[in-house]
Amino acid sequence: MKYLIIAAVVIVIVAVIIVLIYRNRKSVPVPAAGWQLFDAATQTISDTTVHQRMSGVYTITKGNEHFGDLAVLKWTWTRHGQDTVYYLSMFCQKDGTHIICEGRSVNDQLLFKGYWRSMHDENTGTAHFTVSRTNGAAYLLGKGEAVDTPGIAIEGSWTRGDDSARQEVALRYQRPLFAGESFEIIGHRGGGRNTERLPASENSVEMVQMASRLGATGVEIDVQTTKDGVPIIYHDPTINMRLVKGKWIPGHATDTYTWAEIREMKLKNNERIPELREMLDTIINSTPLRFIWLDIKTTGALPLISEIRAEYEQKARAAGRKVEIVLGIANEEGVARFVALPGYQNIPSLCELDPPVVQRMNARIWAPQWTNGLERAQVEEVQAQGRRVFVWTLDDDEDIREFMHQGDYNGIVTNYCSAVAFHFYSRQR
């Protein structure tokens, strides 16, 4: 009995420590610093020709001790109503570091202003870059004499935090992005968990809006339901301190609250918990994401969620978007409810169970956990059936490299999209 009491006390202490960590753990703030030349420029870089010519793998010739020897440069966008904002993302070799910039042009120069963040710690800071006319801006802008693509050189500087002394960084174009096969980089919980301390909360609208800037081509999002049957995007089975701030933290199940009550809650970075339709609207209309994994946490709501999936697949087509939306099934109860759906064989689905269950469901995708290893024979067998294989959830750089280069997967689910993006787009075969 004595040892049971001690064990119980230890468990309580550990639980309290975890709660306090989650309660006080805040996102790493995005640093901001003025740059007069950039702030005075009004011409944004929205020309897709510039985007295509500038994208590629670059050698980092200065600042490589901080960012590594190579960087992948890739453009993306986010739409807000009628306005589209274009971003240049740089995925660096070292520490899963990413740099996200907006671009403007002035006097035949390209200017980029943004911030960098190391995903393996709290280090962050500002970043400024310039492409001069003679270093490739004229070529990129289509303004006459200029170097060709291999001559593009980018010069810039970076700081730690907002206002420390600026240090030099420089990049030179080396080769095009790898484009040899279709591959999905899937942001876990919309782009990353709260533990990654990104500027947006996991499973929030704000997170999926920035996911492509982090390197994602698709997202995995979690679907729960409310007391009155509204599908919402939220991971945990309860309302708790890990995800929600304020008064709504008693630990009750999500389905004990109405949608009206859920809508009053705030996530850790002050966002609202989104309804499934709101999230799908955002992804289709405001982002370039092309794949959505609906991880079904409440299998009893499968009929409704399946109807919403079909509805938004049609909306995506009507909007001229090619967006694949699949129902994610993770357990036998989910399988039983899925195969009870009319025409289930033709409903796009993903299954985390063994290959025979994948085949029984006629799932498009098998999604094994990475801890099972490369599973080459099973992967090959499933792919021979015309299915794809996505592995989850890979975050360690060595594991990402191993599964990318030694496995034969069609996608990786990760909280470190920038690291997966670097390894994929910098491939040479």
Side-chain angles (χ1 to χ4, degrees):
M1 177 63 72
K2 174 183 177 182
Y3 295 110
L4 288 175
I5 293 173
I6 293 173
V9 170
V10 170
I11 291 171
V12 169
I13 292 172
V14 170
V16 170
I17 291 172
I18 292 172
V19 167
L20 289 174
I21 289 173
Y22 278 122
R23 175 187 287 176
N24 297 311
R25 193 173 176 85
K26 298 179 180 179
S27 296
V28 174
V30 174
W35 181 15
Q36 188 173 0
L37 182 61
F38 181 93
D39 296 336
T42 58
Q43 185 66 43
T44 60
I45 302 173
S46 58
D47 189 336
T48 55
T49 300
V50 176
H51 300 169
Q52 292 166 0
R53 289 179 172 179
M54 195 171 181
S55 297
V57 180
Y58 286 68
T59 301
I60 301 176
T61 56
K62 292 182 181 178
N64 52 320
E65 71 285 348
H66 183 72
F67 297 108
D69 294 327
L70 293 176
V72 165
L73 271 61
K74 196 170 187 300
W75 285 85
T76 187
W77 54 269
T78 304
R79 186 170 295 126
H80 303 279
Q82 299 300 312
D83 298 324
T84 302
V85 180
Y86 296 91
Y87 297 92
L88 177 64
S89 293
M90 303 182 183
F91 308 119
C92 302
Q93 182 181 35
K94 190 173 180 180
D95 296 334
T97 298
H98 59 260
I99 306 171
I100 300 175
C101 298
E102 291 187 50
R104 296 179 183 176
S105 62
V106 60
N107 298 329
D108 291 344
Q109 292 186 97
L110 302 182
L111 309 176
F112 300 91
K113 173 184 168 183
Y115 71 98
W116 64 271
R117 165 78 195 279
S118 169
M119 289 299 294
H120 292 288
D121 51 42
E122 300 178 15
N123 287 329
T124 188
T126 64
H128 297 171
F129 298 95
T130 301
V131 182
S132 68
R133 180 181 180 86
T134 55
N135 277 344
Y139 163 73
L140 293 169
L141 294 168
K143 292 188 175 183
E145 89 287 344
V147 294
D148 58 8
T149 303
I152 297 173
I154 303 172
E155 298 177 342
S157 62
W158 60 278
T159 69
R160 293 184 186 275
D162 290 327
D163 54 7
S164 65
R166 306 203 71 84
Q167 302 180 59
E168 287 187 313
V169 60
L171 305 91
R172 180 170 288 275
Y173 184 94
Q174 185 184 101
R175 62 180 186 269
L177 299 177
F178 174 73
E181 61 192 45
S182 177
F183 190 86
E184 302 298 346
I185 302 169
I186 304 164
H188 188 222
R189 302 186 193 174
R193 301 165 302 185
N194 284 358
T195 47
E196 276 62 63
R197 303 183 68 184
L198 291 162
S201 301
E202 64 183 62
N203 277 316
S204 66
V205 163
E206 290 78 2
M207 178 63 81
V208 301
Q209 285 178 322
M210 74 173 299
S212 65
R213 280 172 254 163
L214 299 173
T217 64
V219 290
E220 178 266 357
I221 52 177
D222 302 288
V223 187
Q224 305 272 7
T225 52
T226 65
K227 184 177 182 179
D228 43 352
V230 177
I232 61 172
I233 307 302
Y234 187 87
H235 178 269
D236 293 2
T238 63
I239 301 300
N240 57 61
M241 286 183 180
R242 191 184 78 81
L243 297 176
V244 175
K245 62 191 301 184
K247 64 179 181 178
W248 303 95
I249 49 175
H252 297 317
T254 56
D255 62 4
T256 62
Y257 297 94
T258 66
W259 168 236
E261 290 173 321
I262 291 287
R263 197 57 178 168
E264 292 299 313
M265 300 177 187
K266 291 287 187 68
L267 296 171
K268 281 299 186 180
N269 288 287
N270 293 313
E271 311 95 338
R272 301 287 187 184
I273 297 173
E275 190 257 346
L276 172 59
R277 292 176 184 273
E278 176 189 7
M279 183 66 94
L280 294 178
D281 269 324
T282 298
I283 294 171
I284 290 169
N285 297 315
S286 300
T287 81
L289 297 170
R290 66 191 186 203
F291 182 86
I292 306 171
W293 170 351
L294 301 179
D295 192 348
I296 312 299
K297 300 299 186 183
T298 309
T299 58
L302 260 174
L304 174 59
I305 296 170
S306 181
E307 289 178 8
I308 294 173
R309 190 216 66 81
E311 173 190 344
Y312 276 86
E313 185 178 68
Q314 292 179 352
K315 286 187 174 183
R317 281 198 296 265
R321 294 287 320 284
K322 187 176 181 181
V323 181
E324 183 179 8
I325 311 172
V326 302
L327 303 179
I329 306 300
N331 53 48
E332 290 290 351
E333 179 186 351
V335 172
R337 291 183 182 275
F338 178 79
V339 299
L341 295 174
Y344 73 89
Q345 300 94 333
N346 298 316
I347 299 174
S349 64
L350 173 153
C351 180
E352 298 180 28
L353 305 180
D354 292 337
V357 182
V358 174
Q359 192 167 5
R360 176 157 58 94
M361 287 176 52
N362 196 33
R364 290 185 180 181
I365 300 162
W366 177 39
Q369 193 170 4
W370 74 274
T371 50
N372 295 328
L374 294 175
E375 298 186 286
R376 290 188 180 93
Q378 288 182 296
V379 169
E380 183 178 350
E381 177 186 350
V382 170
Q383 290 173 334
Q385 299 168 2
R387 312 181 203 279
R388 289 169 291 163
V389 184
F390 296 170
V391 63
W392 61 276
T393 299
L394 281 172
D395 292 338
D396 180 79
D397 197 68
E398 290 186 10
D399 293 330
I400 291 170
R401 187 185 300 110
E402 178 185 8
F403 277 77
M404 179 77 70
H405 296 285
Q406 298 182 34
D408 192 24
Y409 293 88
N410 307 105
I412 289 176
V413 182
T414 181
N415 296 292
Y416 293 78
C417 295
S418 54
V420 177
F422 172 80
H423 286 293
F424 177 72
Y425 292 113
S426 63
R427 294 173 72 176
Q428 296 191 69
R429 63 173 179 84

